[in-house]
Amino acid sequence: MLGTLCGVDHHGNRYGRSEAARAAVLEAADDLLVEHGFAGLTIEKIAARAGVAKQTIYRWWPSKVDILLEAFGDDMAEDLTPADHGYLATDLREHLARLADFLTTSDAGAVYRALVGQAQHDPQLATRLRDGHLAAQHARDRLPFERAIARRELVENLDVDLAVERLVGVVHYRVLVTGEPVTREFTDALVDALVLELT
Amino acid sequence: MLGTLCGVDHHGNRYGRSEAARAAVLEAADDLLVEHGFAGLTIEKIAARAGVAKQTIYRWWPSKVDILLEAFGDDMAEDLTPADHGYLATDLREHLARLADFLTTSDAGAVYRALVGQAQHDPQLATRLRDGHLAAQHARDRLPFERAIARRELVENLDVDLAVERLVGVVHYRVLVTGEPVTREFTDALVDALVLELT
Amino acid sequence: MLGTLCGVDHHGNRYGRSEAARAAVLEAADDLLVEHGFAGLTIEKIAARAGVAKQTIYRWWPSKVDILLEAFGDDMAEDLTPADHGYLATDLREHLARLADFLTTSDAGAVYRALVGQAQHDPQLATRLRDGHLAAQHARDRLPFERAIARRELVENLDVDLAVERLVGVVHYRVLVTGEPVTREFTDALVDALVLELT
Amino acid sequence: MLGTLCGVDHHGNRYGRSEAARAAVLEAADDLLVEHGFAGLTIEKIAARAGVAKQTIYRWWPSKVDILLEAFGDDMAEDLTPADHGYLATDLREHLARLADFLTTSDAGAVYRALVGQAQHDPQLATRLRDGHLAAQHARDRLPFERAIARRELVENLDVDLAVERLVGVVHYRVLVTGEPVTREFTDALVDALVLELT
DNA sequence: TTCTAATCGAGACGGTACGTCTCGTCTTGGG
DNA sequence: CCCAAGACGAGACGTACCGTCTCGATTAGAA
């Protein structure tokens, strides 16, 4: 949030930027990405759609991926924080199903896939994505395991990072590489196999 | 190979294309991708670097990803066909280590990552990539498991596809998403956990 | 003239530029200058009006004044070459009336006035205008006097340059500075006074 | 003059405008015109150079030519009021020499040339220039002739306007169009020829 | 041997988007 | 009420590539 000075609808002043313009740009970027894909997402079209001058975009965002990063915001944290059901298997089943849903059906997931795709060509974006979002998400992904360890459901010296990657990685692979559907049956089977192995 | 008619250095004839031009384009594309990244890979620059007219490129390749796909060629099949050591664990350990090496260090791996990245923005490319290369690779990835089933090392009704994805997917996740190094220790641990679980 | 290769209607080739594009640009520039003035004459609008890409303009003309200079072309030579009536007074009367008409009513005159105006801010344009057109026009302006000297109507040691400026300069002053109409009465009076003085 | 309230150095008060800001703007405009020419004279740069907000300029001057007009002020009246020597030839020689000097060497002359140049693209400016300065100057230019008529040096029914233009116009032509130097010899010759013809 | 048709290089063409610049307007907090 | 500061919508600037086109030269099998 940019502070109380920015909430008013105005055309700019020396003490703060236009919140209306900022919101319009983010929404336009989101819409255009979903409608026309990453290639169809140009600064020119964002500006036109948002009813905003190009210069206003360049003033606040260095590139279109910065717009997407800001539009992406905290969607991941909001949608992908695992709930605590008291059982590891249940926690993981729910969480992985949510992850699959997020990646394949949500608008935020579309932005995420575009960003990860672009990160293959842009090492700087890759770094920012990892530091800004993936690290935090990884910490959230660890929670079910850590809770299970705390309640003695799992052994203490478990390699939690590896366990997380063995779930999350497989789902990502389907989404990003093979493109096969990620059904509830698939994620449940993935979780069950792992939980069976670990306990 | 395009046959004996194409090998000569010439500026055109009515029965075949210039093999020299074809090779120059593929090499220029490869070089530019490695040097300047996917964004710096333009038809204009490929033509200039290859000493070839733009029209010659457009005549034979619909887009720059087609050039990359052709440059990518059968590198994957050559580098990533699993050897048969007689033991599932050994086969998988070797294969996964090769995969990690291919993805992170080889030129072909760089092209592969660029193509997968671009496929996030280009569903048509995604389809071609899957049909043309990923399906074949998946079949090769299955070989160690199928051989283990044949020699009764594994049960017959094993979900081989799932097992493959639980190995390959995790490595891809590290390479494409988190960017963490994929060490031999990591791939061995991945294989050992799976093999222990399945046998 | 650009040679026989340029007359064909095409979209460009390595041996010549598109005459159609060139003509469209010059005509569009002329039209826009007359309609919207020099300030409303932008490369963007010329391109749009001419149905031509901006790059095509930048390829051939360094700036919009170069377009005007080319559009101006040889209009001055065509319209302002004094005829020979055998009498100094008649020659000058006709010539000065033509000059007034050219400057105040013709499209080429509008371009000329814009160029002279712009030359006040652009010394390089001033030089090109003088070397390219004004010098030649001055030579033409001298013709009636030189013919009169040849036929002994005027003395041999007459300062022809000064005489020319005393006619042409006054007309320019009205057109460029005071904006008063330049009537036939005015130009005739100007000529008569001078001729009376010289003979 | 704007009164005693305006002389103080302040950042705003409710009774009048800042004289300091006004003077800074005029001086900055003058400097920028001389240093970078008319094209380099932008409201943005004037504001930056004068240490003044753009809005302050737009509040008081509709456009940059208005600033120049105000900066131009009464320089013409001060420099170009013909003195009375008692002889037509002397009056005119002095006056025309002063005019040439004013147009070619003074700062005010540079502003004048820029304004006349811009007036070729801007009919409104042309009108204001004529009504505001040129008419008054023309009246001053007539003075030597009117004094000569009064003292019977010239006939009463002389076309004074034409006579003025035949001197002033030729000098303007050299300055604005041909760019040739306007020497004392030239102006003297011009005057002498006219005076000889009229008397 | 000459003819013919496809390919080659070169590069001009109409476009689209880029990122920068300046315009003239607006909104603000302080004097 | 004026001032500075500066964000805003607007739109032109000159550049880079896009994908299409036209051209003359090159080439080798067919006539």
Side-chain angles (χ1 to χ4, degrees):
Chain A
M1 189 47 193
L2 286 165
T4 52
L5 285 166
C6 304
V8 205
D9 180 23
H10 59 82
H11 283 173
N13 65 61
R14 76 183 287 193
Y15 297 100
R17 58 192 284 197
S18 161
E19 173 60 16
R22 177 181 163 275
V25 166
L26 296 182
E27 189 179 327
D30 221 284
D31 292 355
L32 284 169
L33 181 73
V34 171
E35 288 175 27
H36 304 304
F38 188 82
L41 185 70
T42 66
I43 300 280
E44 208 109 316
K45 280 179 187 157
I46 295 173
R49 160 87 71 130
V52 144
K54 273 178 14 175
Q55 187 57 43
T56 299
I57 297 181
Y58 284 108
R59 195 179 351 254
W60 300 110
W61 294 278
S63 74
K64 70 179 180 180
V65 303
D66 292 80
I67 303 175
L68 286 183
L69 277 172
E70 185 165 338
F72 189 52
D74 300 321
D75 292 347
M76 224 178 185
E78 289 167 14
D79 293 3
L80 295 179
T81 299
D84 186 354
H85 303 89
Y87 300 98
L88 177 63
T90 314
D91 283 9
L92 291 178
R93 280 169 161 241
E94 289 303 314
H95 185 52
L96 219 58
R98 276 178 188 278
L99 174 62
D101 202 54
F102 175 85
L103 290 177
T104 53
T105 66
S106 74
D107 279 9
V111 175
Y112 177 78
R113 279 181 282 124
L115 286 170
V116 171
Q118 192 59 18
Q120 307 307 316
H121 314 136
D122 180 351
Q124 201 176 336
L125 168 61
T127 302
R128 297 173 60 195
L129 206 52
R130 286 159 192 162
D131 295 351
H133 294 94
L134 297 178
Q137 183 55 37
H138 184 74
R140 285 190 291 272
D141 293 336
R142 288 173 54 99
L143 287 176
F145 292 99
E146 291 171 344
R147 289 195 291 246
I149 293 172
R151 70 172 97 91
R152 314 256 175 215
E153 200 176 344
L154 290 174
V155 296
E156 202 167 353
N157 65 342
L158 174 70
D159 188 342
V160 176
D161 290 338
L162 180 60
V164 164
E165 285 181 281
R166 290 181 66 194
L167 293 179
V168 170
V170 180
V171 172
H172 272 82
Y173 180 65
R174 283 220 158 179
V175 172
L176 299 175
V177 184
T178 68
E180 282 180 82
V182 191
T183 62
R184 180 74 195 226
E185 289 73 36
F186 178 77
T187 54
D188 282 356
L190 205 55
V191 168
D192 293 347
L194 185 73
V195 170
L196 195 67
E197 175 191 329
L198 296 182
T199 52
Chain B
M1 191 50 193
L2 285 166
T4 52
L5 285 168
C6 305
V8 205
D9 181 22
H10 60 82
H11 282 181
N13 69 61
R14 78 187 279 195
Y15 294 100
R17 60 190 285 196
S18 162
E19 172 60 16
R22 178 183 163 274
V25 166
L26 296 182
E27 189 180 325
D30 222 283
D31 292 355
L32 284 169
L33 181 72
V34 172
E35 288 174 28
H36 304 304
F38 188 82
L41 186 70
T42 66
I43 300 280
E44 210 108 312
K45 282 179 185 159
I46 296 173
R49 159 88 71 132
V52 144
K54 274 167 54 175
Q55 186 57 36
T56 301
I57 297 182
Y58 283 109
R59 193 176 356 250
W60 301 110
W61 294 277
S63 75
K64 70 177 179 180
V65 303
D66 292 81
I67 303 176
L68 285 183
L69 278 171
E70 185 166 337
F72 188 52
D74 300 320
D75 292 346
M76 223 176 185
E78 291 167 13
D79 293 3
L80 296 179
T81 299
D84 186 354
H85 303 87
Y87 299 97
L88 176 64
T90 312
D91 283 10
L92 292 178
R93 278 168 162 241
E94 289 304 313
H95 185 52
L96 218 58
R98 276 179 188 279
L99 173 63
D101 203 54
F102 174 85
L103 290 177
T104 55
T105 66
S106 73
D107 276 12
V111 175
Y112 177 77
R113 279 180 282 124
L115 287 170
V116 171
Q118 192 59 16
Q120 306 307 315
H121 314 136
D122 180 350
Q124 202 176 334
L125 169 60
T127 301
R128 297 174 59 198
L129 206 52
R130 286 159 192 160
D131 296 352
H133 294 93
L134 296 178
Q137 185 56 38
H138 184 74
R140 285 189 292 273
D141 294 335
R142 288 173 54 99
L143 287 176
F145 293 99
E146 290 171 344
R147 289 194 291 247
I149 293 172
R151 70 173 96 91
R152 312 265 176 208
E153 200 177 344
L154 290 175
V155 295
E156 201 167 354
N157 64 342
L158 174 71
D159 187 341
V160 176
D161 290 339
L162 179 60
V164 164
E165 285 181 281
R166 289 181 67 194
L167 294 179
V168 169
V170 180
V171 172
H172 273 82
Y173 180 65
R174 284 220 158 178
V175 172
L176 299 175
V177 183
T178 69
E180 282 180 83
V182 191
T183 63
R184 181 73 196 226
E185 289 74 35
F186 178 77
T187 54
D188 282 356
L190 205 54
V191 168
D192 293 347
L194 185 74
V195 170
L196 194 68
E197 175 191 327
L198 296 182
T199 53
Chain C
M1 190 49 194
L2 286 164
T4 52
L5 284 166
C6 301
V8 204
D9 180 22
H10 60 81
H11 284 171
N13 65 60
R14 76 183 289 193
Y15 298 100
R17 58 192 285 196
S18 162
E19 174 60 17
R22 176 182 164 276
V25 166
L26 296 182
E27 188 180 328
D30 222 285
D31 292 355
L32 284 169
L33 181 74
V34 171
E35 288 175 27
H36 305 304
F38 188 81
L41 185 69
T42 66
I43 301 280
E44 207 108 317
K45 280 180 188 157
I46 295 173
R49 160 87 70 131
V52 144
K54 274 180 7 174
Q55 188 57 45
T56 299
I57 297 181
Y58 285 110
R59 196 175 354 251
W60 301 110
W61 294 277
S63 74
K64 69 179 180 180
V65 303
D66 292 81
I67 303 176
L68 286 183
L69 277 172
E70 185 166 339
F72 188 52
D74 300 322
D75 292 346
M76 223 176 185
E78 290 167 14
D79 293 3
L80 296 180
T81 299
D84 185 356
H85 303 88
Y87 300 98
L88 177 64
T90 314
D91 284 8
L92 292 178
R93 280 170 162 239
E94 288 304 313
H95 185 51
L96 218 58
R98 275 179 189 277
L99 173 63
D101 201 54
F102 175 85
L103 291 177
T104 53
T105 66
S106 75
D107 278 10
V111 174
Y112 176 77
R113 279 180 282 124
L115 287 170
V116 170
Q118 192 60 17
Q120 307 307 316
H121 314 134
D122 181 350
Q124 202 176 336
L125 169 60
T127 302
R128 296 172 61 195
L129 205 53
R130 286 159 192 162
D131 295 351
H133 293 94
L134 297 179
Q137 184 54 39
H138 183 75
R140 285 189 291 274
D141 293 336
R142 288 172 54 98
L143 287 177
F145 293 99
E146 291 170 345
R147 289 194 292 247
I149 292 172
R151 74 173 93 90
R152 314 259 174 211
E153 198 175 346
L154 289 175
V155 295
E156 201 166 353
N157 64 342
L158 174 71
D159 187 341
V160 176
D161 291 337
L162 178 60
V164 165
E165 286 181 281
R166 289 179 69 192
L167 292 180
V168 169
V170 179
V171 171
H172 273 81
Y173 180 66
R174 283 220 158 179
V175 172
L176 299 176
V177 184
T178 69
E180 281 180 84
V182 190
T183 61
R184 180 74 196 226
E185 289 72 37
F186 178 78
T187 54
D188 281 356
L190 205 54
V191 168
D192 293 348
L194 185 74
V195 171
L196 195 67
E197 175 191 329
L198 296 181
T199 52
Chain D
M1 192 51 192
L2 285 165
T4 52
L5 285 167
C6 303
V8 205
D9 180 22
H10 59 83
H11 280 182
N13 70 56
R14 60 193 299 190
Y15 300 103
R17 63 188 285 196
S18 161
E19 173 59 17
R22 177 181 164 276
V25 166
L26 295 183
E27 189 180 327
D30 222 284
D31 292 355
L32 284 169
L33 181 73
V34 171
E35 288 175 26
H36 303 304
F38 189 81
L41 185 71
T42 67
I43 300 280
E44 210 108 311
K45 281 179 185 157
I46 295 174
R49 158 87 71 131
V52 144
K54 274 166 53 178
Q55 186 57 37
T56 301
I57 297 182
Y58 283 110
R59 193 174 358 250
W60 302 110
W61 294 278
S63 76
K64 69 179 181 181
V65 302
D66 292 80
I67 303 176
L68 284 182
L69 279 171
E70 185 166 337
F72 188 53
D74 300 321
D75 292 346
M76 222 175 185
E78 290 167 14
D79 292 3
L80 296 180
T81 299
D84 185 353
H85 302 88
Y87 299 99
L88 177 63
T90 314
D91 284 8
L92 291 178
R93 279 168 161 242
E94 288 304 312
H95 184 52
L96 218 58
R98 275 179 189 278
L99 173 63
D101 202 55
F102 174 85
L103 290 178
T104 54
T105 66
S106 73
D107 277 12
V111 175
Y112 176 78
R113 277 180 283 124
L115 287 170
V116 170
Q118 191 60 18
Q120 306 307 315
H121 315 135
D122 180 350
Q124 200 176 337
L125 169 60
T127 303
R128 296 174 59 198
L129 207 53
R130 286 158 192 161
D131 295 351
H133 295 93
L134 297 177
Q137 185 55 38
H138 184 73
R140 284 190 291 274
D141 293 337
R142 289 173 53 100
L143 286 176
F145 293 98
E146 290 171 346
R147 288 195 292 247
I149 293 172
R151 71 172 93 93
R152 311 266 174 205
E153 201 176 343
L154 290 175
V155 296
E156 201 168 355
N157 64 342
L158 173 72
D159 186 342
V160 176
D161 290 337
L162 178 60
V164 165
E165 286 181 281
R166 290 180 68 192
L167 292 179
V168 169
V170 180
V171 172
H172 272 83
Y173 179 66
R174 283 219 158 180
V175 171
L176 299 176
V177 183
T178 68
E180 281 180 84
V182 191
T183 61
R184 180 74 196 224
E185 289 72 37
F186 178 77
T187 53
D188 282 355
L190 206 54
V191 168
D192 292 347
L194 184 73
V195 171
L196 194 68
E197 174 190 332
L198 296 181
T199 53

